[in-house]
Amino acid sequence: DAGVIQSPRHEVTEMGQEVTLRCKPISGHNSLFWYRQTMMRGLELLIYFNNNVPIDDSGMPEDRFSAKMPNASFSTLKIQPSEPRDSAVYFCASSKTGAGGNQPQHFGDGTRLSIL
Amino acid sequence: GESVGLHLPTLSVQEGDNSIINCAYSNSASDYFIWYKQESGKGPQFIIDIRSNMDKRQGQRVTVLLNKTVKHLSLQIAATQPGDSAVYFCAERGITGRRALTFGSGTRLQVQP
């Protein structure tokens, strides 16, 4: 079975550029999560969706970050304009129920983002 | 100061020994806990979970113990293998407010051949 699929795996771009990260959750999963991982702060939740609706975006650092989930099989995380401090590994995860259900989240292998 | 990641607690064990990785969680109202394993260059991989109405759960070579009195979670790995070398994270979910998982800072397990 296919797991969570993220693209690209690596992205290097100059500051000020727009960056778009993509995620395809596991088929049948109705919750999707975006995380950021850095050495300093560990794994941080940015936003999560339930049935394509954003439920909690309190982890989104600032207005430069936005996330969408136009359908059950696709989500994007966009950074515009990007800054060097946005450099991190961004993970997408999905689970079968809402965040209130006792089901584990399954993670993709992440996008390693470097902003020069 | 130096980053938390550079000072990840490290547990070094010999191949074949049992490993115990500990985690102190923060929210006494958390009702669900998960252990993840993360290898270099990969995403966290689900290992085992436990609900707050249980104090022990066993999987293949792994056991999770939950002590709600002292807010402590542990992961026991039997007969540790080189392939078990990774960073291990515990995660908890509260029952009120924000229901998403909160992750610990992780423990690095090094298995010596």
Side-chain angles (χ1 to χ4, degrees), chain B residues 90-104:
Chain B
C90 66
E92 61 179 299
R93 193 194 66 218
I95 61 172
T96 59
R98 201 158 182 252
R99 295 274 279 156
L101 293 175
T102 300
F103 284 80

Side-chain angles (χ1 to χ4, degrees), chain B residues 13-19 61 76-82 84 111:
Chain B
V13 300
Q14 291 292 125
E15 182 178 358
D17 286 353
N18 297 334
S19 302
R61 281 202 308 121
Q76 301 178 0
I77 305 174
T80 313
Q81 302 167 1
D84 294 327
V111 182

Side-chain angles (χ1 to χ4, degrees), chain B residues 28-87:
Chain B
S28 59
S30 292
D31 66 348
Y32 180 56
F33 305 87
I34 307 178
W35 278 101
Y36 285 92
K37 170 188 180 183
Q38 187 175 23
E39 297 174 282
S40 180
K42 295 189 176 181
Q45 176 187 359
F46 169 77
I47 302 174
I48 191 168
D49 57 2
I50 189 168
R51 301 178 193 177
S52 59
N53 62 353
M54 304 169 70
D55 53 21
K56 180 179 180 179
R57 192 171 187 211
Q58 289 185 292
Q60 187 178 7
R61 281 202 308 121
V62 294
T63 300
V64 55
L65 299 178
L66 174 62
N67 185 331
K68 294 181 290 294
T69 302
V70 295
K71 294 189 290 185
H72 184 266
L73 196 65
S74 69
L75 177 71
Q76 301 178 0
I77 305 174
T80 313
Q81 302 167 1
D84 294 327
S85 294
V87 177

Side-chain angles (χ1 to χ4, degrees), chain B residues 21-32:
Chain B
I21 301 170
N22 296 304
C23 176
Y25 63 92
S26 57
N27 187 349
S28 59
S30 292
D31 66 348
Y32 180 56

